[in-house]
Amino acid sequence: MQPKRCTFRMKGICELSSNTNEEIYVGIDVGTTKVATVIGLKEPNSPGLSVIGVGRAKNSGVFKGTVKDIEETVTAIITSIEEAERMAGNNIRQVTLGLNGSGIATAHANGVVAVSRADQQVTITDVNRAIDQAKATALPPSNREVITILPRHFKLDDHEITKDPVGMKGIKLEAQTLVISGVTQAIKNLDNVVRQAGVAVEGRVLNPLAAAKSVLTKQQKELGCVVVDIGGGTTTLAVFEEGELIHLAVIPVGSASITNDLAIGLRTSIEIAEKIKLKHGFAPGTKKIEKGDTFKVDELEESDNEVSIKEFAFILDARLDEIFALVAAELGRIGKQDKLPGGAILTGGGANLAGIESYAKEKLKLPTTKGRAQETAGLVDKVADPGMAVAVGLMLMSASGEQAGFKGANESIGKAVDKLRLIFKKFLP
């Protein structure tokens, strides 16, 4: 039987004990191995957010972004939310939810319209129509729905122009967009378990966009970089160049696959294999290993607690090599392998493996760092873990009004996109 949350919820802005109207924003990442909740406070006259509550709970009810066990997932969400609420001293009523999974797909679509004004000056209405036309040409099958449409470039009379064409003059306006869709039933099921946990879904954001919001600098986006989010069931990557998202992909292999391999290789349970991975795991090639080296594993039975480091490293390497080979192949497919000066930024729980930065640098041939949450104050030590990057990003995007996903990859479109968001609401699920 699913536990019930006994919390009092208010309409509008949450009122804190000080009786000041300070706004809170909440991001929740419902993953394959964990649920993470982050509560941020927007204080008057403060430019950023302060993290005031963080909650984490183990989860085994989701598989590669798809809910498989409703009761298990609802319980994990409630546990995570209530831990964050206790820390914050405040109840939450709505959240921005992360979307992920192998069902996420991207497509490029162009929309072309005639400039409507007699003086040939492009208006926001023309931009709306061009993007609307792009959406119409990229409607997904009936079992899928559009999550977001991201304007990438515009052309005016077949000439590439700036990211914001409003005010320019021409006859024909073309919008080049990235259309991102997901499996309708998977999205509805995720919404459903969050609502069953007692909170409303304020908005949805793709996990890789949230991770990017959390850890990337403007300079990295401009130079060209890739965020590689190594989650439990999937590894997602978001590629940016000239400040824009240019590619997104979901690879159906994650850090849980490493745990499964260890469980088989060490002949133990998944739970013990996970503990061993967290305690003893390292990226092969980053640690000198002598023939015959072993280490003791207290979690294993006495007769089996001597583990060969060489065999242990072989198990780790096989799966890590697969993950980064697939990432490299995806970058090669879009012509960006070895061509991203901003480097690779690793997030997700899998990024905690010792030595993984050096390993990824060798495999991807790119400068590599671990992503750390930025633009936050308060309990920053609680969200320093790369595995919290998505939840922090969801919180930040909620605060900045990006939870519909329209501004996250193209911030420079500015006021035009702010207006577009209002019009696009009719397209959102």
Side-chain angles (χ1 to χ4, degrees), residues 293-311:
D293 282 353
T294 63
F295 62 91
K296 285 190 175 183
V297 180
D298 296 335
E299 291 82 3
L300 296 177
E301 294 182 8
E302 190 68 29
S303 59
D304 296 320
N305 69 356
E306 288 282 342
V307 174
S308 164
I309 297 180
K310 186 175 181 180
E311 292 180 9

Side-chain angles (χ1 to χ4, degrees), residues 121-237:
Q121 182 170 303
V122 177
T123 65
I124 187 64
T125 302
D126 295 321
V127 174
N128 294 344
R129 290 169 49 234
I131 298 177
D132 192 3
Q133 181 64 30
K135 179 182 183 292
T137 63
L139 286 175
S142 58
N143 66 329
R144 302 183 65 84
E145 62 184 72
V146 172
I147 297 170
T148 186
I149 306 173
L150 300 172
R152 293 184 60 234
H153 298 285
F154 292 94
K155 284 185 177 182
L156 194 57
D157 295 340
D158 296 323
H159 296 290
E160 193 129 340
I161 57 173
T162 63
K163 300 171 186 176
D164 186 353
V166 175
M168 294 187 168
K169 290 194 174 185
I171 298 173
K172 183 178 69 173
L173 177 67
E174 178 180 346
Q176 300 176 340
T177 68
L178 186 65
V179 180
I180 306 175
S181 65
V183 178
T184 300
Q185 200 56 48
I187 295 172
K188 287 182 177 178
N189 285 339
L190 194 57
D191 278 358
N192 181 49
V193 292
V194 173
R195 292 190 179 107
Q196 284 192 42
V199 291
V201 177
E202 176 191 26
R204 310 188 193 110
V205 176
L206 290 164
N207 280 11
L209 295 184
K213 175 69 174 179
S214 173
V215 304
L216 292 188
T217 65
K218 184 177 180 180
Q219 183 182 36
Q220 285 172 318
K221 286 184 178 181
E222 288 292 337
L223 288 173
C225 65
V226 56
V227 177
V228 181
D229 187 72
I230 310 171
T234 60
T235 296
T236 59
L237 58 149

Side-chain angles (χ1 to χ4, degrees), residues 3-9 16-17 24 26 35 37-40 51-58 75-93 199 379 382:
K4 300 294 183 182
R5 299 185 65 234
C6 299
T7 56
F8 175 70
R9 307 200 175 285
L16 304 181
S17 57
I24 64 169
V26 186
V35 176
T37 304
V38 177
I39 302 175
V51 176
I52 61 171
V54 179
R56 293 181 64 149
K58 292 182 180 179
T75 299
I77 293 170
I78 289 173
T79 302
S80 175
I81 287 176
E82 291 188 340
E83 181 184 343
E85 286 180 328
R86 284 193 298 271
M87 192 178 296
N90 201 0
N91 294 335
I92 61 175
R93 59 181 177 80
V199 291
L379 303 173
K382 298 289 186 181

